[in-house]
Amino acid sequence: MAIVGVLLFVAALLFSVMVHEFGHYFFAKKFGMKVTEFFLGFGKRIWSTVRGETEFGIKAIPAGGYCRIEGMTIHDQMPEGEANRAFVVSTTPRKLVVLGAGSFNHFVLAFVMLVVMLAGIGAQSMSSTIAQIVPCVSSTKSCSATDPVSPSVKAGLKAGDTVIAINGKKTQANNFAEDLLKIRKHSGQQFIFTVKRGDQTIDLQVTPTDRTINGYTYSFIGFIAKEGTYRMPLFNSIKSSGAITWYMVKESFKALFKLPSMVPNLVKEAFNKAPRDPNGPVGIVGVARASGDIASNTSLPITNQIALFLMMIASLNVFVGIFNLLPLLPLDGGHMAVALIDAVRYRYAAIRGREKPAPIDINRLMPLTAAVFIILVALTVLLFIADIVNPVSLNL
């Protein structure tokens, strides 16, 4: 099953790459640019077919894919009579759309995966029924004689109680976590929990308190709710998927900003066998390994395995989409930055009454492109070594 999980991840990754490249292909064709190749993989052709002016096919090395748009640089030779179809002579808005469509498709794919997960498969969520009461407020998992009793004990909540309302507003039986967000950052404020206990309906006064664990302080009540797998109505799943996608976008930006500062620790983890930071960067091998762990975990129901897999692939798509927009060549974001600089140059020349300058020669930026490429390869190799010798372990 671990091998199945890894193969599923590889298939999902290649599919994501093709969705990315289809974004470039679709808009390039829409804007009249000349697209001559659309391939899965690199190296020697295994199979191909020509549709119109584009050759579609599969190559021997399944390490990604590409869409060849003619005229990406001023040195590319276009067929006679088709010079106006070169990418480099297109308008700036069209260039930006074609270049950004790949990353945009990553975000769309992540969103669709989340909708399928929430509406079609269901996700593990907190129910409104209490499974266990936590006896005390402690900074650790265990209680000592000096620890104060938890708010749940003070209020009289018991295992088996079902919270049907908070301050008179009905709770959601299959999404209780959202209801509990109402008490977030409201420690010390009194809330009325209406609970169903057997045949009785009881109102209990609950006052959350602050609890700090590992430097993180949050409002604490002191109970553990039962969990289950629930499907959302389609409209709710669309709304929640949008919120989750946006959260992934923000977290991906944070991760990118932190990445340079994490490299020294990553070196230690790869070569000195320092404990692997579970919140640190993970490479493709690490994600594939995690996919195998999910598929081989027999304690997880199949629905939970699928949900975790989709969540992981969705998160990866969001990160890749944002990473690809970094204004660095050879990434799409680097080409977008060049297109924007050209637009400023054209505008400046027009204002000054000068002739429109030639587009920037990308080939002259090859030293910068090569430097970025070497850094990316070095980071990839470092992550590969760390994922092999010191993998991140999942707590499933």
Side-chain angles (χ1 to χ4, degrees):
M1 289 305 296
I3 294 175
V4 171
V6 172
L7 292 177
L8 285 173
F9 167 74
V10 172
L13 184 62
L14 291 176
F15 179 72
S16 299
V17 170
M18 288 296 96
V19 168
H20 174 106
E21 296 302 330
F22 180 76
H24 296 318
Y25 169 83
F26 177 83
F27 283 101
K29 294 292 287 184
K30 183 176 179 62
F31 296 146
M33 300 176 189
K34 188 176 181 67
V35 184
T36 55
E37 294 183 6
F38 189 103
F39 272 86
L40 171 64
F42 302 98
K44 185 179 179 180
R45 283 174 173 81
I46 295 177
W47 169 86
S48 70
T49 182
V50 177
R51 293 289 184 271
E53 63 184 6
T54 306
E55 182 182 10
F56 298 87
I58 300 172
K59 293 192 174 183
I61 305 173
Y66 70 94
C67 166
R68 181 179 177 83
I69 304 172
E70 298 296 331
M72 289 296 294
T73 77
I74 60 175
H75 299 292
D76 291 346
Q77 296 295 317
M78 297 294 295
E80 186 175 351
E82 295 187 344
N84 64 325
R85 299 184 64 196
F87 172 87
V88 74
V89 301
S90 188
T91 64
T92 299
R94 290 186 173 187
K95 289 180 183 177
L96 295 178
V97 169
V98 170
L99 292 168
S103 286
F104 177 76
N105 276 7
H106 281 301
F107 304 140
V108 172
L109 182 58
F111 174 79
V112 170
M113 285 182 173
L114 292 172
V115 171
V116 170
M117 181 192 77
L118 295 176
I121 299 166
Q124 194 168 26
S125 180
M126 184 186 296
S127 76
S128 57
T129 299
I130 297 173
Q132 181 182 342
I133 297 294
V134 180
C136 71
V137 181
S138 172
S139 59
T140 64
K141 292 183 178 180
S142 59
C143 294
S144 68
T146 58
D147 290 329
V149 298
S150 71
S152 288
V153 173
K154 287 183 180 179
L157 287 168
K158 295 182 179 180
D161 287 349
T162 298
V163 182
I164 59 176
I166 299 177
N167 285 351
K169 187 172 182 179
K170 188 177 179 180
T171 60
Q172 303 172 78
N174 59 357
N175 195 15
F176 190 45
E178 186 174 319
D179 297 308
L180 292 179
L181 289 177
K182 301 169 187 174
I183 69 173
R184 204 174 192 181
K185 298 181 181 179
H186 288 288
S187 294
Q189 181 177 328
Q190 187 180 92
F191 292 84
I192 303 298
F193 276 41
T194 303
V195 303
K196 189 78 172 177
R197 182 179 296 168
D199 296 330
Q200 295 180 299
T201 300
I202 308 170
D203 287 338
L204 299 174
Q205 296 179 355
V206 179
T207 305
T209 189
D210 282 341
R211 187 189 194 194
T212 302
I213 295 182
N214 296 328
Y216 177 70
T217 301
Y218 62 97
S219 297
F220 177 71
I221 299 176
F223 66 78
I224 299 172
K226 290 183 178 180
E227 291 188 342
T229 301
Y230 305 97
R231 294 177 183 174
M232 282 188 181
L234 181 59
F235 178 78
N236 290 354
S237 70
I238 291 173
K239 181 180 177 182
S240 295
S241 296
I244 295 171
T245 303
W246 178 239
Y247 173 79
M248 288 178 173
V249 168
K250 293 187 291 184
E251 291 302 307
S252 295
F253 271 114
K254 291 178 184 178
L256 280 174
F257 281 120
K258 292 178 181 178
L259 184 58
S261 65
M262 291 180 174
V263 171
N265 283 337
L266 186 60
V267 172
K268 294 177 183 178
E269 293 166 356
F271 298 104
N272 295 334
K273 294 187 178 180
R276 190 76 185 268
D277 181 3
N279 297 316
V282 180
I284 294 298
V285 172
V287 181
R289 200 164 189 162
S291 180
D293 290 343
I294 292 170
S296 61
N297 192 309
T298 55
S299 65
L300 287 175
I302 184 65
T303 52
N304 286 10
Q305 290 177 323
I306 296 173
L308 283 172
F309 179 78
L310 289 176
M311 181 70 79
M312 183 176 66
I313 299 301
S315 179
L316 179 64
N317 269 276
V318 170
F319 181 82
V320 171
I322 291 174
F323 183 83
N324 199 53
L325 291 176
L326 290 176
L328 299 169
L329 291 169
L331 304 176
D332 288 339
H335 289 282
M336 294 174 77
V338 170
L340 289 171
I341 293 171
D342 269 337
V344 172
R345 293 172 61 239
Y346 299 157
R347 181 61 179 166
Y348 179 77
I351 292 173
R352 303 287 290 183
R354 298 175 180 173
E355 184 179 349
K356 182 179 179 180
I360 293 173
D361 184 359
I362 296 291
N363 291 343
R364 297 181 63 181
L365 300 176
M366 280 303 297
L368 178 61
T369 304
V372 173
F373 180 76
I374 290 171
I375 291 172
L376 293 178
V377 170
L379 180 59
T380 301
V381 171
L382 183 60
L383 285 169
F384 176 82
I385 295 171
D387 289 339
I388 292 294
V389 304
N390 192 7
V392 174
S393 59
L394 294 181
N395 294 319
L396 297 175

